[in-house]
Amino acid sequence: MGVRLEPWTEDDLPLVQALLGDPVMMEHLGGSEAPEKIVERHGRYIGAPGVFKVTFEVVPAGWVGYWEHDWQGERIYEIGWSVLPAFQGRGIAAEATRLALEAARATDGPRAVHAFPTPDNGPSNAICRKCGFTFLGEVEFEFPKGVFGPSNDWYYDLSARSRGE
Ligand SMILES: CC(C)(COP(=O)(O)OP(=O)(O)OC[C@H]1O[C@@H](n2cnc3c(N)ncnc32)[C@H](O)[C@@H]1OP(=O)(O)O)[C@@H](O)C(=O)NCCC(=O)NCCS
């Protein structure tokens, strides 16, 4: 399958604008992000380890990333993903997530990876299931900043197994 992870570059502002500026895409993420916030986020993504542009057959199709987060007294990697509507439903997000987990495994960072999709985000919960995450239950989660709501807590242990095992 032609899914690849590439470093985030200065040229990728239109991609993050399409992903985070679209109210449909952001339905489960508190609504579309303000234009200036998106520009600020784009700046943070450039050169950040763990943040990737997802390409499909060399064409930009989405975003996947992991970053460190304090969760229930533990330092974890949180992981998230987003794929443009035109590319959805082809397994691109699942494959990008598997590749991101491999990249996270190769770091010397936390071994616990958590994803926090809202309970009603069918495709995102399906990705967790397909990629071998374990469902831990529903939790109160803060996203965006200052807004708390129910999320599902999915866990993946980077020390337990690797792809193909
Ligand atoms: C979540 C998202 C990345 C999925 O992208 P995608 O490339 O379409 O995902 P995939 O094709 O890899 O997998 C989607 C899976 O969800 C399943 N699915 C789709 N709609 C579903 C629904 N309503 N309920 C349950 N499962 C559903 C699909 O059947 C597929 O599983 P399958 O391959 O076993 O059939 C995409 O919808 C998106 O970007 N959404 C907006 C941003 C977002 O919510 N990000 C997640 C934040 S936690």
Side-chain angles (χ1 to χ4, degrees):
M1 187 179 193
V3 177
R4 295 188 55 158
L5 304 190
E6 316 261 351
W8 197 267
T9 71
E10 283 181 19
D11 300 335
D12 295 322
L13 180 60
L15 176 60
V16 74
Q17 283 170 332
L19 293 169
L20 303 183
D22 176 353
V24 177
M25 286 290 291
M26 297 298 282
E27 182 192 347
H28 302 289
L29 297 163
S32 55
E33 214 163 56
E36 64 277 12
K37 286 263 167 213
I38 295 177
V39 171
E40 188 190 309
R41 186 186 286 277
H42 167 64
R44 280 200 314 264
Y45 282 2
I46 298 166
V51 174
F52 304 98
K53 168 170 63 181
V54 178
T55 61
F56 180 66
E57 312 294 2
V58 202
V59 181
W63 165 90
V64 65
Y66 56 83
W67 56 94
E68 293 195 23
H69 180 73
D70 289 320
W71 177 245
Q72 297 178 337
E74 194 193 346
R75 194 81 172 154
I76 62 156
Y77 275 139
E78 183 182 341
I79 189 167
W81 41 73
S82 189
V83 165
L84 293 169
F87 294 89
Q88 289 176 9
R90 301 194 225 169
I92 293 174
E95 182 61 12
T97 300
R98 290 185 197 107
L99 293 170
L101 288 169
E102 290 313 301
R105 193 193 305 281
T107 71
D108 57 5
R111 297 297 83 187
V113 183
H114 290 248
F116 298 99
T118 53
D120 59 352
N121 191 340
S124 205
N125 283 288
I127 288 165
C128 294
R129 210 170 294 117
K130 274 168 41 171
C131 293
F133 284 72
T134 301
F135 178 60
L136 296 183
E138 196 175 300
V139 293
E140 278 294 298
F141 194 72
E142 182 182 12
F143 192 87
K145 209 166 173 52
V147 181
F148 289 83
S151 282
N152 285 337
D153 182 3
W154 289 89
Y155 168 71
Y156 188 96
D157 181 0
L158 290 172
S159 61
R161 56 198 149 171
S162 72
R163 190 176 194 181
E165 281 180 9

